[in-house]
Amino acid sequence: MKKAAFCLLVLLCLLLSVNGTSMTLFVGCTSSPLCLSEPVSYMCSGENGAGLDDDVLRWGIRDSSRSSNDNIPNGTTAYVERTDVSTPRIIGTYFETILTSSADPMRSNISFSPVLAINNYTILCDIIGTTPFGCSIIIADVLAAPVSSDIKFTSDTLVFSWTPQSTSPCLSHYSVNVTSIEYTINTTNTSLSLPVHLTNDTEYSISVVAVDTAGRYMDPTSKIIFIADVPGPVTDLVINWTGFDIYVTWNYPPYFVSPYVSSYIVYPSDHYTGITIPAPTTTYNIPDVTVRSVYTVGVAAVNALGTGPTASATISIICTFVPTRSITSFSVTPTVVTNRGKLMVLKST
Ligand SMILES: *[C@@H]1O[C@H](CO)[C@@H](O)[C@H](O)[C@H]1NC(C)=O
Ligand SMILES: *[C@@H]1O[C@H](CO)[C@@H](O)[C@H](O)[C@H]1NC(C)=O
Ligand SMILES: *[C@@H]1O[C@H](CO)[C@@H](O)[C@H](O)[C@H]1NC(C)=O
Ligand SMILES: *[C@@H]1O[C@H](CO)[C@@H](O)[C@H](O)[C@H]1NC(C)=O
Ligand SMILES: *[C@@H]1O[C@H](CO)[C@@H](O)[C@H](O)[C@H]1NC(C)=O
Ligand SMILES: *[C@@H]1O[C@H](CO)[C@@H](O)[C@H](O)[C@H]1NC(C)=O
Ligand SMILES: *[C@@H]1O[C@H](CO)[C@@H](O)[C@H](O)[C@H]1NC(C)=O
Ligand SMILES: *[C@@H]1O[C@H](CO)[C@@H](O)[C@H](O)[C@H]1NC(C)=O
């Protein structure tokens, strides 16, 4: 270990003195774009030859987007060996340099807070007599707005999520804008679960943008709008009958973003009050039906806002001693066909 360190030291000494020249060492430069308002600091150091009082460390700032004819440094500063350390200097408007070692080797830091005005600038540093080092400043672009998912409502919570179009260290937060309840939230999450007191006939509009460290953002890719309401009618309502049982089956109402269906209410004809079936169950069995009765069964879907329209179908129980099939459809006028009193089919028209 000691040997290795010694060898390294010898190598360094060779580099520094035998040749009489050395490289400028630059620490911290990155090819990644810089985030606005996130302070950056680089270090430059070097030694040209072994003598004291013979070195000058120079900083320069150049606007690389200007034509080469006009490619003059926007500002420079230079430190000679034995200069007082720790007195900051300003180059141009945005860059501050400070000497941290005045000799063997000389060492200086440059720091700045990235602003758009220095996009495409290059920071130069050299110890006079060595090859200068250049570090380009590229400011990160505005972040693309995330792609939003659908809104979903559970009983009284609005759930919404989004996917970033790119990951960037320059993301500060997402800003989610919910109109109609005038709600804006800053979050680093990629989803939002918001307690919302739903009201009928209210238009909700939600958008999300990615805000960077400087507060910049792009227009939202989409704005999701919907009007909260009670559910639509259930679909595929079917009643059939076997023995003394009536089976009722149905499907979800067609919905996209309206509040979730929490339950169904089934109205068998001999009940005034409906029977509540919690979702997602979509079947109901009415036992002990009476032969030669007509049953009109209604089903309505319920969500946080209330009860939707009732869809209904009618079945006539003519005969029960033969296992049979009977079909009706949602909102039908049933036609009863008897086949020697044994078979009954209800057809939808
Ligand atoms: C360039 O230098 C001028 C004069 O020193 C200064 O006013 C200007 O702000 C500088 N520009 C930048 C981007 O540092
Ligand atoms: C100079 O930069 C180096 C490396 O980034 C850092 O460790 C050091 O604290 C800085 N010194 C000053 C005075 O800013
Ligand atoms: C920065 O330089 C690149 C090419 O080097 C150029 O395309 C871009 O427009 C420049 N940006 C600014 C802000 O000057
Ligand atoms: C929210 O959206 C509304 C309507 O689009 C807009 O007027 C308002 O400025 C937005 N608010 C924020 C904070 O983005
Ligand atoms: C982010 O998500 C966490 C866990 O899912 C939650 O506890 C936190 O409240 C959320 N923050 C915001 C601002 O929504
Ligand atoms: C969200 O962040 C912005 C800065 O990007 C700030 O102006 C605003 O007040 C914040 N809003 C909330 C609700 O915290
Ligand atoms: C919404 O409207 C339906 C009828 O359209 C009504 O039954 C229900 O009570 C209303 N809900 C609220 C929360 O106002
Ligand atoms: C009645 O419908 C139920 C549920 O769809 C089904 O399981 C049963 O087989 C049907 N019965 C007849 C006789 O079609």
Side-chain angles (χ1 to χ4, degrees):
M1 202 54 216
K2 254 184 178 167
K3 211 169 178 180
F6 179 73
C7 285
L8 198 67
L9 201 70
V10 168
L11 201 68
L12 271 175
C13 289
L14 282 176
L15 274 173
L16 290 173
S17 56
V18 173
N19 258 348
T21 57
S22 76
M23 301 245 304
T24 299
L25 181 69
F26 198 99
V27 176
C29 188
T30 161
S31 56
S32 320
L34 301 178
C35 303
L36 289 174
S37 310
E38 297 275 284
V40 176
S41 180
Y42 301 140
M43 189 190 75
C44 180
S45 72
E47 178 81 24
N48 183 14
L52 292 178
D53 305 325
D54 62 351
D55 287 337
V56 176
L57 184 151
R58 286 189 302 199
W59 286 107
I61 307 296
R62 207 173 60 203
D63 182 351
S64 322
S65 63
R66 285 157 74 174
S67 74
S68 46
N69 292 343
D70 193 18
N71 207 355
I72 43 157
N74 195 64
T76 57
T77 194
Y79 295 101
V80 295
E81 267 182 352
R82 306 291 173 200
T83 304
D84 252 4
V85 297
S86 79
T87 309
R89 297 180 186 173
I90 305 293
I91 310 179
T93 309
Y94 302 102
F95 300 87
E96 182 180 284
T97 66
I98 187 160
L99 194 67
T100 58
S101 161
S102 68
D104 299 334
M106 294 189 68
R107 209 163 40 225
S108 177
N109 284 11
I110 192 164
S111 53
F112 58 98
S113 183
V115 292
L116 280 176
I118 60 169
N119 198 7
N120 274 346
Y121 275 54
T122 301
I123 298 175
L124 301 166
C125 181
D126 69 335
I127 306 293
I128 290 180
T130 72
T131 316
F133 188 94
C135 179
S136 303
I137 298 174
I138 306 292
I139 304 291
D141 286 336
V142 183
L143 299 167
V147 177
S148 305
S149 71
D150 283 346
I151 305 168
K152 292 190 175 70
F153 265 115
T154 57
S155 58
D156 56 359
T157 308
L158 180 156
V159 181
F160 178 66
S161 66
W162 54 91
T163 312
Q165 295 208 51
S166 65
T167 55
S168 163
C170 301
L171 174 76
S172 162
H173 58 264
Y174 299 103
S175 178
V176 187
N177 189 358
V178 187
T179 60
S180 83
I181 54 169
E182 299 313 326
Y183 186 85
T184 302
I185 189 171
N186 294 339
T187 179
T188 50
N189 290 352
T190 53
S191 66
L192 178 70
S193 181
L194 188 65
V196 170
H197 183 76
L198 292 174
T199 39
N200 273 349
D201 245 5
T202 308
E203 183 177 288
Y204 292 84
S205 153
I206 303 193
S207 60
V208 57
V209 295
V211 181
D212 77 1
T213 49
R216 299 181 302 171
Y217 57 86
M218 276 187 194
D219 285 343
T221 50
S222 62
K223 184 173 280 187
I224 300 199
I225 297 176
F226 79 100
I227 296 169
D229 212 338
V230 296
V234 300
T235 53
D236 308 324
L237 177 61
V238 173
I239 307 177
N240 70 20
W241 148 80
T242 311
F244 292 99
D245 288 338
I246 289 178
Y247 298 100
V248 188
T249 65
W250 63 92
N251 260 319
Y252 290 116
Y255 69 93
F256 300 100
V257 291
S258 63
Y260 271 158
V261 171
S262 53
S263 61
Y264 297 93
I265 300 182
V266 178
Y267 302 96
S269 57
D270 49 357
H271 283 74
Y272 291 112
T273 53
I275 294 154
T276 299
I277 312 290
T281 302
T282 53
T283 58
Y284 183 66
N285 179 17
I286 306 168
D288 299 329
V289 298
T290 314
V291 179
R292 300 205 173 274
S293 305
V294 174
Y295 285 83
T296 297
V297 181
V299 179
V302 180
N303 70 11
L305 284 174
T307 305
T310 302
S312 57
T314 302
I315 190 170
S316 301
I317 310 298
I318 307 298
C319 173
T320 61
F321 61 84
V322 172
T324 184
R325 221 168 25 169
S326 42
I327 306 153
T328 79
S329 280
F330 156 61
S331 289
V332 301
T333 311
T335 311
V336 180
V337 179
T338 58
N339 181 2
R340 294 179 192 166
K342 287 180 183 173
L343 182 72
M344 186 208 70
V345 179
L346 290 176
K347 279 186 179 159
S348 56
T349 48

